[in-house]
Amino acid sequence: MAVSDVPVDLDRDEAREAAARELSNPAYVSDDQNPLQRALSWVLDRLGELLAGAGGMSGITAITIMVVVAVIIIIVFRLRTGRPARSARSRGGEVFDAVLTAAEHRAAADRAAAAGDLAEAVRERFRAVVRELEQRGVLDPRAGRTVDEVAIEAGQALPVLAKDLRGAAVQFDDVWYGGRPATEQGYRQLVAVDDKVRG
């Protein structure tokens, strides 16, 4: 068709038909699937074969195979997304598991430090700080408070200690949720924060 044969004034329907004819040209169509489409097609093909083969199996065998497939899918999903409990607690998990006094948490921290369990010592010393703040009326006792909330709320009430409290919260998070090893120096810093809160 020569350029002069193409009509200049097309209505909406004629333009749509012309575009559809042009786009149906095989030059615009690719038979190649992207890698994700190929992987999905492969999985669906295998699942179809499994289900087709299940017709000759007993009901228990077919159900067992389906349960195994479901478990594998769940395991793969959890490995790809991480442990839900850890991610839910990360940067926001509860500080306390039980109700103890500040002195009891402090004693537990000292015992853990003496035994060389610095991670537990960090946790118990931070708990001592929080309980001390609650016992002194700086923070209202509240279940489910996070380390970040402790640092913000106590820092607002005690601006002179805001930086120290934030550092204590970061250390707690780094050790308990960030996977970093606790250090003797870090524990001593928490003890210093605890001493300032008590003073």
Side-chain angles (χ1 to χ4, degrees):
M1 178 186 293
V3 174
S4 60
D5 295 336
V6 177
V8 176
D9 293 325
L10 295 175
D11 66 20
R12 179 181 292 160
D13 292 333
E14 290 173 330
R16 187 181 319 117
E17 288 173 13
R21 276 193 310 272
E22 181 64 25
L23 292 176
S24 66
N25 185 331
Y28 295 117
V29 179
S30 173
D31 291 334
D32 293 337
Q33 292 181 325
N34 67 41
L36 180 61
Q37 289 172 322
R38 282 196 305 270
L40 185 58
S41 294
W42 184 86
V43 169
L44 292 175
D45 289 344
R46 299 298 80 76
L47 189 57
E49 290 171 6
L50 178 67
L51 292 175
M57 297 180 201
S58 71
I60 293 176
T61 304
I63 290 172
T64 302
I65 290 173
M66 294 305 289
V67 168
V68 168
V69 168
V71 168
I72 290 171
I73 291 170
I74 291 169
I75 289 171
V76 169
F77 177 76
R78 289 197 47 168
L79 289 174
R80 301 254 327 168
T81 59
R83 289 170 32 193
R86 184 177 179 91
S87 62
R89 289 175 54 192
S90 179
R91 304 293 300 173
E94 292 187 11
V95 176
F96 294 100
D97 293 330
V99 178
L100 300 175
T101 66
E104 289 170 327
H105 282 295
R106 216 168 274 122
D110 290 342
R111 284 192 302 274
D117 188 353
L118 292 175
E120 184 64 22
V122 163
R123 178 163 62 176
E124 286 299 329
R125 186 59 73 154
F126 188 83
R127 288 174 170 175
V129 168
V130 175
R131 196 61 83 204
E132 188 70 33
L133 290 166
E134 290 175 345
Q135 289 172 350
R136 291 178 177 262
V138 175
L139 295 176
D140 293 328
R142 187 179 75 211
R145 179 180 275 125
T146 66
V147 293
D148 292 329
E149 291 169 337
V150 168
I152 292 167
E153 293 171 19
Q156 289 170 346
L158 302 170
V160 71
L161 294 180
K163 184 177 178 183
D164 291 322
L165 292 166
R166 182 72 216 135
V170 167
Q171 183 179 173
F172 182 95
D173 270 347
D174 285 349
V175 170
W176 280 96
Y177 305 124
R180 294 190 181 153
T183 64
E184 183 68 38
Q185 179 184 359
Y187 178 65
R188 282 197 302 269
Q189 289 171 344
L190 260 179
V191 171
V193 173
D194 187 23
D195 291 342
K196 289 179 184 178
V197 168
R198 284 194 286 171

